[in-house]
Amino acid sequence: LSLDEGKESDRSDKGDRDVVSEVAMFHDALYEPTEKTIALLVKSLVGRGDAAGAEALLESIADGPLADLRHRTTSPILKLYCEKGEIDAALRLYHKMKHTSRVVMEAGTYSDFIAAVAENGYFRSDSEPIDGAKDLGYNPASGPGLLDILISDMAEDVLDIPEESARVLRNGFALGFKESGLST
């Protein structure tokens, strides 16, 4: 096996995601999009770090038969917004997910989202409000009151928090409250 052959192999491995999304786009150009092809396109966009593009794709089909997509299609976008620290965008998408009948939120999704909000300091009593939160009906838009709202949402859907989800929450709070002296 030569070095050039190895490089060729690496290129094809990296290109697999693009090939899958190209096939999905080709399918959707010829036929009606399906939830599967939309999910593949979302996964490709998220894999490239384009949460806004993935959300825009979902918005583009909002009035069609696929308007009510499932958790598996929307949660990777939410997770990417959280990882990037784009909490205003994450809250907007979270709000849409909560109000979409076919999206059933899971403990891990809530934990990732709430931990990201905490990590970015929005549950601290001295934090600025999250941009756009009040427009979505979150009042207060930061601090302990927002934490209460989000934990109440979680309590409606989740009966038991797995240990890994609890660890994610603890770590998010520890990072978000580190500078306040309240974290260990």
Side-chain angles (χ1 to χ4, degrees):
L1 180 67
S2 74
L3 290 176
D4 289 335
E5 288 172 0
K7 288 181 183 175
E8 182 65 28
S9 173
D10 287 346
R11 273 197 299 265
S12 68
D13 288 345
K14 290 178 184 173
D16 285 347
R17 178 171 283 134
D18 291 333
V19 170
V20 170
S21 66
E22 287 176 20
V23 169
M25 285 188 289
F26 184 69
H27 172 275
D28 292 353
L30 295 174
Y31 308 101
E32 285 293 315
T34 65
E35 185 174 0
K36 182 70 172 174
T37 59
I38 297 299
L40 289 171
L41 291 170
V42 165
K43 186 176 181 180
S44 177
L45 290 165
V46 167
R48 287 185 269 163
D50 188 3
E55 187 176 3
L57 173 66
L58 295 182
E59 286 295 320
S60 73
I61 60 167
D63 293 330
L66 297 174
D68 289 332
L69 294 173
R70 298 174 193 229
H71 178 265
R72 66 178 173 244
T73 306
T74 53
S75 64
I77 304 169
L78 180 66
K79 186 170 184 156
L80 181 58
Y81 277 138
C82 291
E83 289 170 358
K84 294 171 79 175
E86 297 178 16
I87 302 305
D88 54 337
L91 182 64
R92 185 184 64 248
L93 182 58
Y94 165 83
H95 183 75
K96 287 179 191 173
M97 291 168 71
K98 280 294 295 172
H99 294 91
T100 300
S101 62
R102 291 183 62 191
V103 175
V104 178
M105 303 280 279
E106 298 172 353
T109 303
Y110 275 112
S111 298
D112 290 342
F113 174 63
I114 292 171
V117 175
E119 184 177 334
N120 284 274
Y122 286 110
F123 293 142
R124 292 175 50 170
S125 56
D126 62 346
S127 92
E128 292 293 318
I130 298 173
D131 288 338
K134 287 186 179 176
D135 296 336
L136 296 172
Y138 295 97
N139 193 14
S142 65
L146 178 62
L147 172 61
D148 185 53
I149 292 168
L150 297 179
I151 292 295
S152 295
D153 285 352
M154 184 177 184
E156 289 176 15
D157 295 331
V158 177
L159 295 176
D160 186 33
I161 301 173
E163 185 175 337
E164 178 57 29
S165 294
R167 191 174 301 115
V168 166
L169 286 167
R170 182 205 49 181
N171 293 344
F173 279 91
L175 289 169
F177 284 89
K178 189 174 190 173
E179 295 147 12
S180 70
L182 296 174
S183 174
T184 57

